[in-house]
Amino acid sequence: MGEANNRMRRLPTPTIDFCTALTEATNGIGSAVTQANFRAQITNPNAVAIEAAFRTSAQAATLYSVPRIASGAGDPVVHGSLRKSDLTKLYTQYFVPKEKPARRLYDQLKITANGKCPLCGDIGHVRTLDHYVPKANFPLYSVMPGNLIPCCRDCNSEKLDAFSATLDRQTLHPYFDDAKFFNEQWVAARVIAGAPPVIEYYVSPPAQWSLAERNRVAAHFTEYGLAERFGVEAGADLPETIDTRRTTLHGFSPLEYSDYLREKSENMSLPVNNWRRIMFLSLANDNWFCAYPH
Ligand SMILES: [Zn+2]
């Protein structure tokens, strides 16, 4: 297992900067007056400063404390004379549509995940970009590349509309959060004996992590519905493993079978917290399962 495998799904920071995203999005605005007005409100030096502040905050995991527009607060002026709706439209009307020049940036951001959703550790295929902090509450970041995360449909729809206002509930940011959230194991599972056995997933972060860090992975796990989604995947996958034990691996002792399962888990080129790796690890550690079925 190479180091690259461990680090999978912590995505590289986007190479597209905010100035480029703004320029391309505003290139798609039909009216020259509207376009000029937009560019006068957020000039390039402005954009560099806004992006630097965003990154600093994202790296320090303090985006929860950035002032936000309250939901239901109407359409306030957010920056210069730009309203919330001007900025959210910049994304929906000038960044996403296929015929707009900024669409190539949208597609470029989407492919950085190599098709695998970083939020659920590979269950889903990347279908969309998700705003880490919602554009309705943080409209200034509507086309900020560092705020646009490639993800699958399920993660996009599981996500709550409201972004956490406390550190403890802040989900993981695949571009900016500490590498340990992606390198170290914090998902665990237990085997519930039965016919068929059931794999139950839970959160078990390293004891040396801070309370806030432990709470954050728990929040991420809950927000994306991972206990249930991992359980469904495992339930569908397990019959094949049991079948192999009954046939090809019939002669293995429980200990040999446990070693086989552990090796299988360790050799998978999947993220360390991927449901399948955790499933094989939990099976390897379970005495009942390793002796079952003869
Ligand atoms: Zn996902």
Side-chain angles (χ1 to χ4, degrees):
M1 179 178 54
E3 197 193 357
N5 290 339
N6 279 330
R7 288 191 287 121
M8 260 195 250
R9 303 337 154 232
R10 184 178 194 274
L11 301 178
T13 311
T15 52
I16 302 162
D17 60 33
F18 189 37
C19 295
T20 305
L22 281 169
T23 303
E24 279 296 68
T26 49
N27 277 343
I29 298 176
S31 149
V33 175
T34 310
Q35 185 190 68
N37 178 50
F38 218 108
R39 290 182 177 173
Q41 303 299 322
I42 310 184
T43 58
N44 278 1
N46 263 176
V48 169
I50 293 167
E51 182 167 43
F54 176 86
R55 286 193 177 211
T56 301
S57 186
Q59 278 159 358
T62 56
L63 285 172
Y64 71 90
S65 67
V66 170
R68 65 182 72 193
I69 310 296
S71 300
D75 192 18
V77 170
V78 172
H79 184 88
S81 64
L82 296 171
R83 293 186 174 276
K84 168 179 152 177
S85 61
D86 297 320
L87 289 154
T88 55
K89 261 191 251 168
L90 194 62
Y91 182 75
T92 53
Q93 296 185 9
Y94 304 108
F95 201 79
V96 180
K98 293 223 157 52
E99 69 280 7
K100 294 295 181 185
R103 176 67 190 204
R104 69 175 181 88
L105 302 180
Y106 179 99
D107 290 336
Q108 216 177 309
L109 288 165
K110 238 171 81 175
I111 60 170
T112 57
N114 291 320
K116 310 282 180 61
C117 178
L119 300 176
C120 57
D122 271 19
I123 293 185
H125 295 286
V126 170
R127 291 277 181 266
T128 187
L129 291 181
D130 179 55
H131 286 86
Y132 181 76
V133 292
K135 60 185 181 309
N137 307 109
F138 302 85
L140 197 51
Y141 305 142
S142 70
V143 300
M144 175 74 71
N147 193 36
L148 300 174
I149 298 174
C151 78
C152 71
R153 280 209 185 99
D154 284 346
C155 284
N156 193 237
S157 60
E158 291 276 354
K159 196 187 165 187
L160 303 170
D161 290 334
F163 185 68
S164 168
T166 62
L167 173 61
D168 280 39
R169 307 282 314 156
Q170 204 179 253
T171 56
L172 300 182
H173 195 313
Y175 296 144
F176 296 112
D177 263 314
D178 195 294
K180 74 174 161 201
F181 292 116
F182 307 91
N183 292 344
E184 296 181 30
Q185 191 194 331
W186 54 266
V187 175
R190 60 176 76 88
V191 180
I192 312 291
V198 171
I199 311 288
E200 197 177 85
Y201 290 88
Y202 60 98
V203 174
S204 178
Q208 69 273 22
W209 285 15
S210 72
L211 180 60
E213 289 165 343
R214 283 182 277 143
N215 286 341
R216 285 192 66 201
V217 290
H220 188 93
F221 194 74
T222 304
E223 179 144 345
Y224 291 104
L226 297 183
E228 193 191 343
R229 291 167 66 199
F230 287 4
V232 167
E233 298 290 332
D237 197 83
L238 201 50
E240 190 191 316
T241 299
I242 293 171
D243 193 52
T244 307
R245 170 63 160 149
R246 283 202 173 107
T247 54
T248 324
L249 306 180
H250 180 75
F252 276 19
S253 71
L255 192 61
E256 284 168 335
Y257 186 50
S258 172
D259 287 344
Y260 160 85
L261 291 167
R262 189 179 318 280
E263 246 172 67
K264 202 167 157 92
S265 168
E266 285 167 1
N267 290 332
M268 287 181 151
S269 50
L270 290 169
V272 70
N273 291 301
N274 171 272
W275 67 269
R276 207 154 185 259
R277 283 189 68 159
I278 302 296
M279 178 183 83
F280 282 112
L281 187 62
S282 70
L283 294 174
N285 288 335
D286 191 84
N287 292 336
W288 173 82
F289 186 81
C290 290
Y292 163 97
H294 284 301

